[in-house]
């Protein structure tokens, strides 16, 4: 049964993405906030995970306030990371995603309808505009999610963190919530086409306060967030002591 699910997973992902993206695009003119379409995105993630036999367990060390915007930062190992975060984090959120995803037919259109934020890392001026847009969203009460490594790790090693997200959190003066994703790489490694039925754990850490910090604190803040994610991964046996690259 599990093998059949895995073989059928690309077809199911494509079908669910097609149907829900079209619904999102049709709904967009009547959904200025994008919140209803975000609900479709959560349903998209839920359906894919349930069909694939992937059980997600959520362990949180904090009680997230629904009216408090956050900057969520997670380790990145798989396309399944997005599904896991969507089903595990119950607040208004938008992903900051690379602009190439927005160009993918149906998937990208659905992400645009949900008002995800796209960033062009090759264009500094365009990237700043994206960060400014993220600040506006935070001021409007939305949380944002980003993967500070910037790319998926092929072997589970925690890669160096890029700095843009920390500028965003500092300028917005909102807490950073570290998230450790365990098991997503086994579900769908980078470059894989099939989804495997493996357990996933989402570990939500305690918020790290940025209020009162300045740009001079950026490096220390990045180290705190990275250390928090690494510690949660190690506690669950998902990161050996040596399995990090230098910050």
């Amino acid at each position: 049964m599990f093998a059949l699910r895995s073989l059928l997973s690309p077809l199911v992902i494509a079908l669910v993405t097609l149907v829900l993206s079209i619904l999102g695009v049709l709904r967009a003119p009547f959904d200025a906030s994008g919140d209803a379409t975000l609900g479709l995105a959560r349903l998209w993630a839920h359906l894919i995970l349930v069909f694939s036999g992937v059980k997600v367990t959520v362990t949180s060390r904090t009680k997230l306030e629904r009216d408090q915007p956050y900057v969520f930062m997670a380790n990145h190992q798989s396309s399944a990371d997005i599904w896991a975060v969507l089903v595990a984090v119950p607040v208004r959120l938008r992903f900051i995603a690379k602009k190439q995803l927005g160009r993918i037919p149906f998937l990208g259109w659905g992400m645009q309808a949900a008002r995800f934020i796209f960033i062009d890392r090759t264009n500094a001026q365009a990237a700043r505009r994206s960060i400014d847009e993220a600040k506006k969203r935070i001021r409007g009460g939305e949380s944002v999610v980003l993967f500070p490594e910037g790319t998926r790790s092929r072997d589970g090693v925690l890669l160096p963190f890029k700095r843009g997200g920390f500028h965003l959190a500092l300028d917005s003066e909102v807490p950073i919530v570290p998230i450790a994703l365990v098991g997503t790489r086994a579900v769908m490694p980078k470059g894989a086409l099939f989804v495997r039925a493996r357990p996933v754990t989402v570990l939500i850490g305690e918020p790290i306060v940025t209020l009162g910090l300045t740009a001079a604190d950026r490096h220390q803040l990045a180290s705190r967030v990275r250390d928090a994610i690494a510690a949660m991964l190690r506690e669950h046996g998902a990161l050996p002591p040596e399995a990090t690259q230098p910050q």
Side-chain angles (χ1 to χ4, degrees):
M1 180 62 177
F2 288 151
L4 180 60
R5 282 180 172 178
S6 181
L7 288 173
L8 291 176
S9 59
L11 178 61
V12 171
I13 292 172
L15 181 61
V16 171
T17 301
L18 173 66
V19 172
L20 293 181
S21 294
I22 291 174
L23 288 176
V25 171
L26 293 175
R27 189 176 226 169
F30 313 99
D31 180 28
S33 69
D35 287 345
T37 309
L38 177 64
L40 290 176
R42 293 190 195 277
L43 176 61
W44 169 74
H46 177 74
L47 290 174
I48 292 172
L49 292 170
V50 168
F51 173 83
S52 303
V54 177
K55 181 180 179 181
V56 178
T57 301
V58 183
T59 301
S60 181
R61 299 181 177 180
T62 187
K63 179 178 173 58
L64 297 174
E65 302 294 336
R66 290 187 177 272
D67 295 330
Q68 165 68 56
Y70 301 95
V71 173
F72 293 96
M73 295 191 181
N75 60 308
H76 198 16
Q77 303 183 73
S78 167
S79 295
D81 296 337
I82 296 172
W83 307 331
V85 171
L86 280 170
V87 301
V89 182
V91 301
R92 293 179 66 213
L93 56 81
R94 298 297 187 275
F95 282 85
I96 298 180
K98 58 185 180 182
K99 71 169 187 175
Q100 290 87 345
L101 291 177
R103 297 172 178 170
I104 299 175
F106 298 106
L107 174 64
W109 303 341
M111 294 174 71
Q112 292 176 42
R115 301 185 74 231
F116 286 9
I117 302 163
F118 297 97
I119 188 165
D120 182 357
R121 298 194 184 100
T122 65
N123 185 319
Q125 187 174 3
R128 282 194 294 271
R129 287 197 297 268
S130 297
I131 295 299
D132 288 341
E133 176 63 22
K135 292 176 189 177
K136 291 179 183 177
R137 302 292 189 83
I138 291 171
R139 288 195 292 269
E142 295 178 8
S143 294
V144 299
V145 183
L146 56 89
F147 299 105
E149 292 167 280
T151 189
R152 288 168 288 174
S153 172
R154 287 189 177 274
D155 55 8
V157 171
L158 196 59
L159 304 175
F161 282 7
K162 298 184 181 300
R163 306 299 181 181
F166 298 97
H167 283 300
L168 170 62
L170 286 167
D171 291 346
S172 302
E173 298 185 324
V174 296
I176 296 174
V177 178
I179 294 178
L181 300 170
V182 179
T184 53
R185 185 164 57 92
V187 169
M188 197 173 187
K190 186 173 182 178
L193 294 176
F194 303 103
V195 180
R196 303 168 185 170
R198 300 288 189 272
V200 167
T201 301
V202 180
L203 307 166
I204 303 175
E206 296 180 3
I208 296 174
V209 175
T210 64
L211 185 64
L213 301 182
T214 67
D217 302 304
R218 177 169 51 87
H219 292 282
Q220 183 179 6
L221 179 63
S223 294
R224 286 185 62 192
V225 173
R226 193 166 185 265
D227 289 347
I229 294 173
M232 289 188 286
L233 290 172
R234 289 194 184 100
E235 287 174 13
H236 282 71
L239 188 72
E242 69 277 8
T244 58
Q245 290 189 8
Q247 178 64 35

